[in-house]
């Protein structure tokens, strides 16, 4: 490809000019190959942060990121495929019951997932709480598991949008993460490269989400839906509440336990509602709008797929989950309606207890986390046990309690967001 001068590309974006498709393809390729250095890419990312990108620029930018690696071909499976992505939240374990549920309804689910960073958990960290379970599945085993079980949740290999790995690491240290075009291209390059026919996006909004404000979350959702459809993937987004955490548990083993409750036909109402809403969207996108996922939860088919999916990756679905060395109870501060249970504060508390990591290389504790036994809108009585903090290291409890200052409100005038705020289509 013809070469450009990185300085010209940076200056053009800095001054508000559009970049040509050739310039965009060149800069992404040259950065991935190492011939454009981090300092120049940092300047370009900052210029994009302030100037944004047009829809045409963003489509080319995203395609260049996809083309930096391999776009998987799932057509040999001979059945429809659907995938889901959540922008991340506290207590968001939905992938765990959702993937086997959709597979039980006849649509294969190739779910390449990540690890947690900061206050939101990672799907792979949660599943690794199951004794024996392995996140790494090589290419042949991946396709075989999709064919035989119908669902795989595993780590993405290095061939999936490698440009994003470098760009995301750079954005993380240059203050350029919070940019809608950069977030949308990062997420969608990986999701489109996964090769599913249909994609459902769960875009979180509220204190525990990446985007705190519903208008920004809607814009991110619209941008991602546009990119998915432009790449030939049927894409729908739900904008969902993350002002309070999902379910009754945030952490690793505690979220696996809650997911198993949902698969057994129980579990918290919000987790069940969102799992079913996303499953319906995935099934409709994959051409099965007539299948009722609630039936597959009720009759145990989703649980059967879960057990096979866990076993296929070395896990023992019957093994007891790790227990914490220490538990600490936090009581309700007053009697009345629980009107605030702040998602961000709970996420930070779970993280400080050991459930999450501050740096990519840090280990996580399988047993650490927080559970709570009342949700927003429910009555609580002063002094009743409300939260339970779980940790392997009692010295962590104090800092977790610091994070929870002001997180619990009874009879405040907080108005909780509805669970599903919006549905965004092309
Ligand atoms: N998740 C991603 O994969 N990329 C982003 O930019 C933000 C969240």
């Amino acid at each position: 490809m013809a070469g450009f001068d990185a300085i010209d590309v940076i200056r053009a974006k800095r001054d508000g000019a559009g970049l040509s498709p050739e310039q965009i393809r060149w800069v992404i390729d040259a950065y991935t190959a190492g011939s454009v250095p981090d300092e120049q890419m940092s300047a370009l990312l900052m210029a994009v942060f302030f100037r944004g990108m047009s829809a045409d620029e963003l489509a080319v930018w995203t395609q260049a990121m996809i083309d930096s690696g391999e776009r998987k071909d799932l057509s040999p499976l001979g059945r429809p495929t659907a995938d889901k992505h959540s922008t991340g939240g506290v207590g968001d374990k939905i992938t765990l019951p959702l993937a086997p549920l959709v597979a039980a309804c006849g649509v294969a689910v190739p779910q390449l997932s990540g690890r947690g960073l900061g206050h939101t958990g990672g799907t792979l960290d949660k599943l690794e709480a199951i004794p024996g379970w392995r996140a790494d599945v090589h290419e042949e085993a991946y396709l075989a598991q999709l064919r035989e079980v119908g669902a795989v949740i595993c780590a993405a290999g290095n061939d999936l949008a490698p440009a994003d790995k470098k760009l995301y690491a750079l954005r993380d240290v240059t203050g350029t993460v919070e940019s809608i075009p950069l977030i949308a291209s990062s997420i969608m390059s990986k999701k489109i490269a996964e090769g599913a026919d249909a994609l459902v996006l769960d875009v979180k909004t509220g204190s525990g989400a990446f985007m705190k404000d519903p208008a920004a979350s809607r814009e991110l959702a619209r941008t991602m839906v546009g990119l998915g459809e432009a790449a030939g993937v049927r894409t729908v987004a739900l904008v969902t509440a993350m002002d309070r955490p999902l379910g009754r548990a945030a952490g690793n083993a505690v979220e696996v336990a809650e997911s198993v409750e949902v698969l057994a036909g129980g579990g918290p109402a919000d987790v069940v509602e969102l799992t079913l809403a996303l499953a319906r969207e995935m099934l409709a996108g994959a051409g099965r709008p007539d299948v009722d996922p609630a039936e597959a939860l009720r009759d145990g088919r989703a649980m059967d797929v879960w057990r096979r999916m866990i076993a296929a990756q070395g896990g023992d679905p019957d093994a007891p989950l790790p227990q914490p060395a220490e538990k600490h109870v936090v009581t309700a501060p007053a009697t009345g309606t629980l009107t605030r249970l702040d998602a961000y504060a709970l996420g930070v508390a779970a993280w400080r207890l050991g459930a999450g990591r501050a740096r990519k290389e840090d280990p996580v504790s399988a047993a650490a986390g927080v559970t709570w036994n009342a949700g927003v809108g429910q009555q609580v009585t002063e002094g009743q046990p409300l939260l339970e903090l779980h940790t392997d290291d009692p010295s962590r409890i104090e800092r977790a309690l610091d994070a929870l200052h002001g997180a619990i409100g009874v009879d405040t005038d907080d108005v909780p967001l509805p669970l599903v705020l919006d549905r965004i289509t092309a």
Side-chain angles (χ1 to χ4, degrees), residues 85 87 164 168 171 177 179 182-184 186-187 190 210:
H85 178 80
T87 57
D164 181 61
Y168 195 46
R171 287 167 56 213
V177 169
S179 149
L182 295 179
I183 297 171
S186 166
I187 293 174
K190 288 173 288 198
F210 208 36

PDB file of all heavy atoms in Angstrom, residues 85 87 164 168 171 177 179 182-184 186-187 190 210, ligand 1:
ATOM      1  N   HIS A  85     -22.630  -9.050  23.013  1.00  0.00           N
ATOM      2  CA  HIS A  85     -21.558  -8.318  23.688  1.00  0.00           C
ATOM      3  C   HIS A  85     -22.176  -7.349  24.679  1.00  0.00           C
ATOM      4  O   HIS A  85     -23.126  -6.643  24.350  1.00  0.00           O
ATOM      5  CB  HIS A  85     -20.712  -7.537  22.675  1.00  0.00           C
ATOM      6  CG  HIS A  85     -19.640  -6.731  23.346  1.00  0.00           C
ATOM      7  ND1 HIS A  85     -18.457  -7.291  23.776  1.00  0.00           N
ATOM      8  CD2 HIS A  85     -19.588  -5.435  23.706  1.00  0.00           C
ATOM      9  CE1 HIS A  85     -17.717  -6.367  24.355  1.00  0.00           C
ATOM     10  NE2 HIS A  85     -18.379  -5.229  24.326  1.00  0.00           N
ATOM     11  N   THR A  87     -21.241  -4.047  27.176  1.00  0.00           N
ATOM     12  CA  THR A  87     -20.179  -3.061  27.396  1.00  0.00           C
ATOM     13  C   THR A  87     -19.656  -3.142  28.832  1.00  0.00           C
ATOM     14  O   THR A  87     -18.715  -2.443  29.179  1.00  0.00           O
ATOM     15  CB  THR A  87     -20.647  -1.625  27.062  1.00  0.00           C
ATOM     16  OG1 THR A  87     -21.794  -1.327  27.846  1.00  0.00           O
ATOM     17  CG2 THR A  87     -20.989  -1.484  25.591  1.00  0.00           C
ATOM     18  N   ASP A 164      -6.528  -4.008  17.392  1.00  0.00           N
ATOM     19  CA  ASP A 164      -7.221  -3.531  18.590  1.00  0.00           C
ATOM     20  C   ASP A 164      -6.412  -3.774  19.858  1.00  0.00           C
ATOM     21  O   ASP A 164      -6.454  -2.973  20.777  1.00  0.00           O
ATOM     22  CB  ASP A 164      -8.602  -4.179  18.721  1.00  0.00           C
ATOM     23  CG  ASP A 164      -9.315  -3.642  19.956  1.00  0.00           C
ATOM     24  OD1 ASP A 164      -9.538  -2.414  19.997  1.00  0.00           O
ATOM     25  OD2 ASP A 164      -9.580  -4.413  20.890  1.00  0.00           O
ATOM     26  N   TYR A 168      -5.896  -0.598  21.976  1.00  0.00           N
ATOM     27  CA  TYR A 168      -6.591  -0.510  23.264  1.00  0.00           C
ATOM     28  C   TYR A 168      -5.585  -0.277  24.394  1.00  0.00           C
ATOM     29  O   TYR A 168      -5.801   0.542  25.290  1.00  0.00           O
ATOM     30  CB  TYR A 168      -7.425  -1.772  23.495  1.00  0.00           C
ATOM     31  CG  TYR A 168      -8.429  -1.614  24.612  1.00  0.00           C
ATOM     32  CD1 TYR A 168      -9.229  -0.483  24.699  1.00  0.00           C
ATOM     33  CD2 TYR A 168      -8.574  -2.581  25.590  1.00  0.00           C
ATOM     34  CE1 TYR A 168     -10.146  -0.320  25.724  1.00  0.00           C
ATOM     35  CE2 TYR A 168      -9.494  -2.426  26.619  1.00  0.00           C
ATOM     36  CZ  TYR A 168     -10.271  -1.298  26.684  1.00  0.00           C
ATOM     37  OH  TYR A 168     -11.174  -1.128  27.699  1.00  0.00           O
ATOM     38  N   ARG A 171      -4.598   3.340  24.162  1.00  0.00           N
ATOM     39  CA  ARG A 171      -5.674   4.234  24.627  1.00  0.00           C
ATOM     40  C   ARG A 171      -5.746   4.252  26.152  1.00  0.00           C
ATOM     41  O   ARG A 171      -5.995   5.275  26.770  1.00  0.00           O
ATOM     42  CB  ARG A 171      -7.012   3.783  24.042  1.00  0.00           C
ATOM     43  CG  ARG A 171      -7.136   4.091  22.551  1.00  0.00           C
ATOM     44  CD  ARG A 171      -8.315   3.364  21.948  1.00  0.00           C
ATOM     45  NE  ARG A 171      -9.548   3.667  22.627  1.00  0.00           N
ATOM     46  CZ  ARG A 171     -10.557   2.805  22.785  1.00  0.00           C
ATOM     47  NH1 ARG A 171     -10.484   1.592  22.273  1.00  0.00           N
ATOM     48  NH2 ARG A 171     -11.646   3.162  23.416  1.00  0.00           N
ATOM     49  N   VAL A 177      -9.605   6.460  25.990  1.00  0.00           N
ATOM     50  CA  VAL A 177     -10.574   5.353  25.984  1.00  0.00           C
ATOM     51  C   VAL A 177     -11.988   5.888  25.718  1.00  0.00           C
ATOM     52  O   VAL A 177     -12.730   5.334  24.910  1.00  0.00           O
ATOM     53  CB  VAL A 177     -10.515   4.561  27.313  1.00  0.00           C
ATOM     54  CG1 VAL A 177     -11.691   3.604  27.423  1.00  0.00           C
ATOM     55  CG2 VAL A 177      -9.213   3.782  27.404  1.00  0.00           C
ATOM     56  N   SER A 179     -14.022   7.588  23.974  1.00  0.00           N
ATOM     57  CA  SER A 179     -14.365   8.220  22.698  1.00  0.00           C
ATOM     58  C   SER A 179     -15.305   7.267  21.970  1.00  0.00           C
ATOM     59  O   SER A 179     -14.965   6.085  21.770  1.00  0.00           O
ATOM     60  CB  SER A 179     -13.075   8.414  21.894  1.00  0.00           C
ATOM     61  OG  SER A 179     -13.319   8.329  20.517  1.00  0.00           O
ATOM     62  N   LEU A 182     -13.865   5.448  18.921  1.00  0.00           N
ATOM     63  CA  LEU A 182     -12.796   4.503  19.274  1.00  0.00           C
ATOM     64  C   LEU A 182     -13.348   3.294  20.033  1.00  0.00           C
ATOM     65  O   LEU A 182     -12.910   2.164  19.818  1.00  0.00           O
ATOM     66  CB  LEU A 182     -11.685   5.207  20.071  1.00  0.00           C
ATOM     67  CG  LEU A 182     -10.919   6.284  19.284  1.00  0.00           C
ATOM     68  CD1 LEU A 182      -9.859   6.955  20.161  1.00  0.00           C
ATOM     69  CD2 LEU A 182     -10.273   5.707  18.020  1.00  0.00           C
ATOM     70  N   ILE A 183     -14.332   3.512  20.901  1.00  0.00           N
ATOM     71  CA  ILE A 183     -14.942   2.379  21.611  1.00  0.00           C
ATOM     72  C   ILE A 183     -15.692   1.503  20.596  1.00  0.00           C
ATOM     73  O   ILE A 183     -15.565   0.278  20.585  1.00  0.00           O
ATOM     74  CB  ILE A 183     -15.927   2.851  22.702  1.00  0.00           C
ATOM     75  CG1 ILE A 183     -15.201   3.648  23.784  1.00  0.00           C
ATOM     76  CG2 ILE A 183     -16.655   1.663  23.311  1.00  0.00           C
ATOM     77  CD1 ILE A 183     -16.144   4.338  24.775  1.00  0.00           C
ATOM     78  N   ALA A 184     -16.493   2.152  19.751  1.00  0.00           N
ATOM     79  CA  ALA A 184     -17.324   1.386  18.807  1.00  0.00           C
ATOM     80  C   ALA A 184     -16.456   0.557  17.865  1.00  0.00           C
ATOM     81  O   ALA A 184     -16.731  -0.625  17.628  1.00  0.00           O
ATOM     82  CB  ALA A 184     -18.221   2.343  18.014  1.00  0.00           C
ATOM     83  N   SER A 186     -13.418  -0.494  18.382  1.00  0.00           N
ATOM     84  CA  SER A 186     -12.700  -1.510  19.151  1.00  0.00           C
ATOM     85  C   SER A 186     -13.601  -2.730  19.382  1.00  0.00           C
ATOM     86  O   SER A 186     -13.238  -3.875  19.104  1.00  0.00           O
ATOM     87  CB  SER A 186     -12.265  -0.893  20.487  1.00  0.00           C
ATOM     88  OG  SER A 186     -11.866  -1.872  21.396  1.00  0.00           O
ATOM     89  N   ILE A 187     -14.796  -2.468  19.875  1.00  0.00           N
ATOM     90  CA  ILE A 187     -15.720  -3.572  20.167  1.00  0.00           C
ATOM     91  C   ILE A 187     -16.142  -4.268  18.872  1.00  0.00           C
ATOM     92  O   ILE A 187     -16.091  -5.491  18.752  1.00  0.00           O
ATOM     93  CB  ILE A 187     -16.955  -3.048  20.933  1.00  0.00           C
ATOM     94  CG1 ILE A 187     -16.537  -2.572  22.330  1.00  0.00           C
ATOM     95  CG2 ILE A 187     -18.053  -4.111  21.007  1.00  0.00           C
ATOM     96  CD1 ILE A 187     -17.646  -1.900  23.126  1.00  0.00           C
ATOM     97  N   LYS A 190     -13.716  -6.636  16.850  1.00  0.00           N
ATOM     98  CA  LYS A 190     -13.580  -7.987  17.411  1.00  0.00           C
ATOM     99  C   LYS A 190     -14.846  -8.803  17.182  1.00  0.00           C
ATOM    100  O   LYS A 190     -14.795  -9.980  16.830  1.00  0.00           O
ATOM    101  CB  LYS A 190     -13.281  -7.897  18.916  1.00  0.00           C
ATOM    102  CG  LYS A 190     -11.879  -7.400  19.201  1.00  0.00           C
ATOM    103  CD  LYS A 190     -11.641  -7.146  20.677  1.00  0.00           C
ATOM    104  CE  LYS A 190     -12.361  -5.924  21.183  1.00  0.00           C
ATOM    105  NZ  LYS A 190     -11.914  -5.345  22.423  1.00  0.00           N
ATOM    106  N   PHE A 210     -19.536   2.014  31.737  1.00  0.00           N
ATOM    107  CA  PHE A 210     -18.536   2.770  31.063  1.00  0.00           C
ATOM    108  C   PHE A 210     -19.076   4.137  30.648  1.00  0.00           C
ATOM    109  O   PHE A 210     -18.428   5.173  30.782  1.00  0.00           O
ATOM    110  CB  PHE A 210     -18.342   1.906  29.838  1.00  0.00           C
ATOM    111  CG  PHE A 210     -17.042   1.963  29.245  1.00  0.00           C
ATOM    112  CD1 PHE A 210     -15.916   2.088  29.995  1.00  0.00           C
ATOM    113  CD2 PHE A 210     -16.953   1.893  27.867  1.00  0.00           C
ATOM    114  CE1 PHE A 210     -14.710   2.134  29.382  1.00  0.00           C
ATOM    115  CE2 PHE A 210     -15.759   1.916  27.272  1.00  0.00           C
ATOM    116  CZ  PHE A 210     -14.627   2.046  28.030  1.00  0.00           C
TER     117      PHE A 210
HETATM  118  N1  LIG B   1     -14.290  -2.621  25.370  1.00  0.00           N
HETATM  119  C1  LIG B   1     -13.523  -2.744  24.269  1.00  0.00           C
HETATM  120  O1  LIG B   1     -13.297  -3.837  23.786  1.00  0.00           O
HETATM  121  N2  LIG B   1     -13.020  -1.633  23.702  1.00  0.00           N
HETATM  122  C2  LIG B   1     -13.238  -0.403  24.194  1.00  0.00           C
HETATM  123  O2  LIG B   1     -12.761   0.547  23.639  1.00  0.00           O
HETATM  124  C3  LIG B   1     -14.031  -0.288  25.337  1.00  0.00           C
HETATM  125  C4  LIG B   1     -14.557  -1.409  25.905  1.00  0.00           C
END
